[in-house]
């Protein structure tokens, strides 16, 4: 590869030695060539959406499925809590939020109904036992 560098002095600087910056710039122009596009550089803005956190409540649903599962609400909540992951993979954040909201609602109602159904199962036999004494 043969590179020839030609130093060109302008008439203004003919009596003074050239500075380092000027020589460096002339060397870059000689090696790289003149700019190909005289138009000013343009910028491009790329908007990258941040990962929106959509909770899926899988652990909570699994707990309700195993321990507080009246009327199969825990299992239904578990089913609805798995769906937001699928929706996020597809890019449907609105659908993921809807499924997560339904799973949260079912996860709230499962222990409430479980407790409300357990209390009578304990209280009624105790009352029957006391009545027969």
């Amino acid at each position: 590869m043969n590179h020839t560098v030609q130093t060109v002095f302008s008439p203004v600087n003919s009596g003074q030695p050239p500075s380092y910056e000027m020589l460096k710039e002339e060397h870059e122009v000689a090696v790289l060539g003149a700019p190909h596009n005289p138009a000013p550089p343009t910028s491009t803005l790329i908007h990258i959406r941040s990962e929106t956190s959509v909770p899926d409540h899988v652990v909570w649903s699994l707990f309700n499925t195993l321990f507080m599962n009246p009327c199969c609400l825990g299992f239904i909540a578990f089913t609805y809590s798995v769906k937001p992951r699928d929706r996020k993979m597809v890019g449907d954040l609105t659908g993921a939020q809807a499924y997560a909201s339904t799973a949260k609602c079912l996860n709230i109602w499962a222990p409430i109904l479980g407790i409300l159904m357990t209390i009578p199962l304990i209280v009624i036999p105790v009352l029957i036992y006391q009545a027969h004494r």
Side-chain angles (χ1 to χ4, degrees):
M1 202 176 216
N2 188 3
H3 293 288
T4 58
V5 178
Q6 297 176 354
T7 306
V8 179
F9 294 107
S10 62
V12 177
N13 291 337
S14 60
Q16 302 172 357
S19 67
Y20 171 75
E21 287 82 19
M22 182 179 224
L23 287 175
K24 182 179 175 188
E25 184 179 324
E26 289 175 359
H27 174 71
E28 287 175 357
V29 168
V31 171
L32 299 175
H36 299 292
N37 189 1
T42 59
S43 63
T44 303
L45 178 65
I46 299 174
H47 179 68
I48 300 174
R49 285 191 287 160
S50 62
E51 183 63 31
T52 304
S53 176
V54 178
D56 52 14
H57 310 295
V58 172
V59 176
W60 190 10
S61 300
L62 186 61
F63 176 79
N64 284 335
T65 300
L66 296 175
F67 298 110
M68 300 277 189
N69 199 12
C71 306
C72 295
L73 281 181
F75 181 71
I76 296 169
F78 185 72
T79 304
Y80 273 95
S81 65
V82 172
K83 290 183 180 185
R85 292 183 180 188
D86 297 335
R87 293 285 95 201
K88 281 194 288 188
M89 292 299 289
V90 175
D92 182 16
L93 293 178
T94 306
Q97 289 171 344
Y99 281 124
S101 176
T102 303
K104 181 180 179 181
C105 183
L106 290 171
N107 280 322
I108 290 171
W109 278 104
I112 290 173
L113 290 178
I115 291 169
L116 289 177
M117 291 172 71
T118 304
I119 289 174
L121 289 174
I122 294 172
V123 172
I124 291 174
V126 168
L127 291 176
I128 292 172
Y129 177 74
Q130 287 179 352
H132 287 287
R133 262 170 132 230

